[in-house]
Amino acid sequence: MSAAGKTRALAGKGVVVTRPAQQAGGLAGLIEAAGGKPILFPAIEIRDAADLGPFLRAVDRLDDFDLAVFISPNAIERALTLIRSRRELPPRLKIAAIGGGSVRELERRSVTGVIAPQGRYDSEALLERGELANAKRVVIFRGEGGREHLGDALQARGATVEYAECYARVRPAADPAPLLQAWSGGGVHAVTATSSEGLRNFAEMIGEPGREALARTPVFLPHPRIAEAGRGLGIRTVVVTGPGDEGLLEGLQAHFRR
């Protein structure tokens, strides 16, 4: 299909973007460029971690590690800002990230040679990279209470793993009334979410009437694990897309071209 045909696919479609506010611009811009109307409703708010002590102690001992893993763009933004206020990254420290957005954020901050999976962006795919086989001392930069799978798998391989938690994810206090009004008026045609936590937060924030509307609305999610959470919330049309903002856009366009 031509570029013009792809653009028309979202014409007149209202698409809810639930990414944190500081990360929503990229997807919102793509939706708008494709003729759609992005509706920003952040379902996660990023705040400072309650206790930065363990994080700062890990930063002061970066020379002890041979691999640092940045779990998300939020981890990169928070961690690198704090790290570089105290020191530089050790030249011998290998850097790994999970998603394409994280790789781009690291490169934007002049961190190159990043170890990252290709095609599938999750902890399981990163673990398949051969460069992780020899990692013996690993620090994982993440938010509070993140998923343990990567660290557990590395420990099972004989690595020593430390978590450096540099931010917290909380559910925002937002008024859902304008969104629900748009929904009841036929202005919401799709919802996007990029994490299970964000999708569950969104369902809580919109209340019972909103959840009934959500169940009837196609929801676009970039990973099967998030799709499982969506089905658990009773959403009838769950569309698993490719990774990242581009994958979500392609999934939206393919769905509304039909």
Side-chain angles (χ1 to χ4, degrees), residues 10 24 28 30 51 54-55 65 77 109 115 152 155 172 202 210 222 240:
L10 295 187
L30 290 174
D51 180 9
F55 167 82
F65 300 100
E77 190 276 327
R109 294 170 180 270
I115 302 166
D152 289 348
Q155 287 175 329
F202 180 70
V240 180

Side-chain angles (χ1 to χ4, degrees), residues 143-154:
E144 291 178 348
R147 191 169 173 244
E148 304 284 340
H149 177 72
L150 177 62
D152 289 348
L154 290 169

Side-chain angles (χ1 to χ4, degrees), residues 115-187:
I115 302 166
Q118 300 296 320
R120 196 178 89 249
Y121 299 116
D122 53 27
S123 298
E124 290 81 356
L126 180 60
L127 286 164
E128 294 173 3
R129 290 296 301 257
E131 297 95 326
L132 270 65
N134 297 321
K136 298 303 179 186
R137 295 292 304 276
V138 182
V139 58
I140 298 177
F141 293 103
R142 68 173 191 176
E144 291 178 348
R147 191 169 173 244
E148 304 284 340
H149 177 72
L150 177 62
D152 289 348
L154 290 169
Q155 287 175 329
R157 295 178 180 181
T160 299
V161 176
E162 292 187 32
Y163 293 106
E165 298 182 340
C166 51
Y167 68 95
R169 300 175 302 272
V170 300
R171 190 171 71 201
D175 179 8
L179 174 62
L180 296 178
Q181 184 176 6
W183 224 325
S184 64

Side-chain angles (χ1 to χ4, degrees), residues 1 5-10 34 220 239-242 246-258:
M1 176 171 286
K6 287 186 176 182
T7 299
R8 286 194 297 272
L10 295 187
F220 296 78
V239 182
V240 180
T241 73
E246 293 79 7
L248 284 165
L249 179 68
E250 290 173 5
L252 285 161
Q253 290 175 323
H255 179 84
F256 286 112
R257 278 200 303 267
R258 295 183 303 184

Side-chain angles (χ1 to χ4, degrees), residues 76-113:
I76 294 163
E77 190 276 327
R78 294 290 171 127
L80 279 184
T81 299
L82 290 168
I83 289 170
R84 286 175 167 164
S85 71
R86 299 168 73 89
R87 59 171 302 163
E88 289 298 318
L89 293 171
R92 61 172 291 277
L93 181 67
K94 293 181 179 179
I95 306 296
I98 292 177
S102 293
V103 173
R104 289 189 293 273
E105 184 65 20
L106 284 165
E107 291 175 343
R108 191 176 73 82
R109 294 170 180 270
S110 303
V111 179
T112 58

